[in-house]
Amino acid sequence: MSGRTADAVYEVYALRYATHAERRSAANYLGEDPHDNAPMPLDFYVWVIRNPARTLLVDTGFSADMAVRRGRRYLASPVDLLKQIGIAAESVEDIVVTHMHYDHAGNIAAFPKARLHLQEKEMAYCTGRCMCHAAMRSPFEARDVAQAVERLHAGQLVFHDGDAEIAPGVSLHLIGGHTAGLQVVRVATERGWLVLASDAAHYWDNLRARRPFPIVLDVGRMLDGHRRIEELADGPEHIIPGHDPAVLARFPPVRGADGIVALHRHPLDTYAERSQVATGGGRPFAVPLAHGLGSEL
């Protein structure tokens, strides 16, 4: 990236660790479903940001036993996926927790040295009066929240109140909407500013069609967040949704690794949208066409 030193430009990777292949489109839109309840799989990711000076992990995923409990298909432990790109969990020093839902804030104990970066509003939300309501607390796991509190009392939790730069070329931005303290991560890469949107945009279609995901605390803030993400990123291809299976088809895979793609590299082809009919596992929403998948590293 022009004008930045080497320690402020990063490689960024998406690591898919689980999937919900049986999910249907009615579960992915608030209000009217534009795809008539067609198959619409949902994938689960954690993300790595690294350069020679530092490595940061974004979210920690969930465990195999949680996959059974929640009815998800577990593909690999995030810890094992990190090993495939040369990162030991014991060496990770900084973790951005985008929000405290079970699929983003499990496995904290696997990273004993790490400081957690969390929005103050998120901790207040997941430990406050809203959790008296079963419908509000269902996406959270008490054990995950307890581990975050333990990390706080060990002096290993950094609270942020709004936007903050946590390293040269890496900044956090409070979005809210999905939860009270949902934050996205903006990263400088060789191809420009990326935004790891996490659950501010589950799918590219949620963002581009302005059709919110149905697990939402504040619809207005979620929709405002879509616009804010677009302002932070260098273009549509620089916004990385939190759960879209199309991410794996869009970006170059890492050689010798399963389910890991390089987001700092240019997409594999010119973005082309198509609408697929819900048959034979086809996705009933706009996905990028990837021709001649290459390899990275």
Side-chain angles (χ1 to χ4, degrees):
M1 179 179 259
S2 177
R4 286 197 166 268
T5 60
D7 70 345
V9 179
Y10 297 85
E11 298 176 346
V12 185
Y13 299 93
L15 291 68
R16 183 182 69 156
Y17 69 92
T19 189
H20 186 197
E22 300 78 20
R23 196 176 185 92
R24 303 187 75 86
S25 58
N28 295 327
Y29 295 94
L30 181 66
E32 181 183 359
D33 170 20
H35 304 300
D36 297 324
N37 202 31
M40 192 172 179
L42 183 147
D43 282 349
F44 298 87
Y45 300 91
V46 298
W47 301 271
V48 168
I49 300 168
R50 73 176 180 186
N51 65 17
R54 63 187 63 83
T55 296
L56 301 94
L57 178 64
V58 179
D59 291 340
T60 54
F62 55 77
S63 63
D65 68 307
M66 188 58 61
V68 173
R69 181 175 165 189
R70 295 272 183 168
R72 308 300 187 240
R73 181 185 171 203
Y74 207 59
L75 302 173
S77 165
V79 171
D80 291 338
L81 290 173
L82 288 169
K83 290 177 184 176
Q84 293 185 34
I85 54 174
I87 300 171
E90 298 80 9
S91 71
V92 175
E93 296 185 349
D94 286 281
I95 297 174
V96 175
V97 180
T98 62
H99 61 300
M100 287 297 298
H101 281 176
Y102 81 96
D103 51 324
H104 295 263
N107 299 316
I108 289 173
F111 303 92
K113 290 176 59 178
R115 292 179 294 271
L116 306 183
H117 294 266
L118 189 69
Q119 288 287 330
E120 187 173 356
K121 287 182 174 64
E122 186 70 4
M123 183 65 90
Y125 175 54
C126 70
T127 59
R129 63 185 300 157
C130 284
M131 297 299 103
C132 295
H133 306 291
M136 301 291 281
R137 65 176 180 261
S138 63
F140 297 91
E141 287 289 333
R143 71 179 80 170
D144 300 337
V145 175
Q147 287 186 355
V149 172
E150 288 173 359
R151 202 59 61 101
L152 167 63
H153 284 267
Q156 292 176 272
L157 194 151
V158 180
F159 281 126
H160 299 279
D161 183 14
D163 299 351
E165 184 175 68
I166 60 171
V170 181
S171 56
L172 309 180
H173 300 270
L174 175 62
I175 298 295
H178 181 61
T179 66
L182 173 71
Q183 58 187 346
V184 303
V185 187
R186 187 180 193 231
V187 189
T189 73
E190 62 185 15
R191 70 180 184 95
W193 287 104
L194 297 186
V195 174
L196 300 177
S198 184
D199 288 7
H202 280 63
Y203 296 86
W204 271 304
D205 196 43
N206 289 128
L207 174 72
R208 291 174 178 171
R210 295 298 196 263
R211 293 181 179 271
F213 193 79
I215 299 177
V216 55
L217 176 66
D218 187 323
V219 175
R221 287 197 66 186
M222 178 177 279
L223 291 168
D224 288 343
H226 291 167
R227 184 176 63 250
R228 178 64 174 142
I229 291 166
E230 291 173 339
E231 293 170 349
L232 291 168
D234 269 352
E237 300 285 6
H238 296 74
I239 299 169
I240 310 302
H243 291 274
D244 201 324
V247 169
L248 287 188
R250 189 75 186 104
F251 292 96
V254 173
R255 183 182 302 132
D258 187 22
I260 304 177
V261 294
L263 304 174
H264 56 284
R265 297 300 191 196
H266 289 284
L268 290 166
D269 63 352
T270 302
Y271 190 86
E273 291 187 341
R274 64 177 174 179
S275 181
Q276 293 184 325
V277 179
T279 58
R283 297 185 179 93
F285 52 98
V287 298
L289 301 177
H291 302 293
L293 295 183
S295 61
E296 163 72 11
L297 293 186

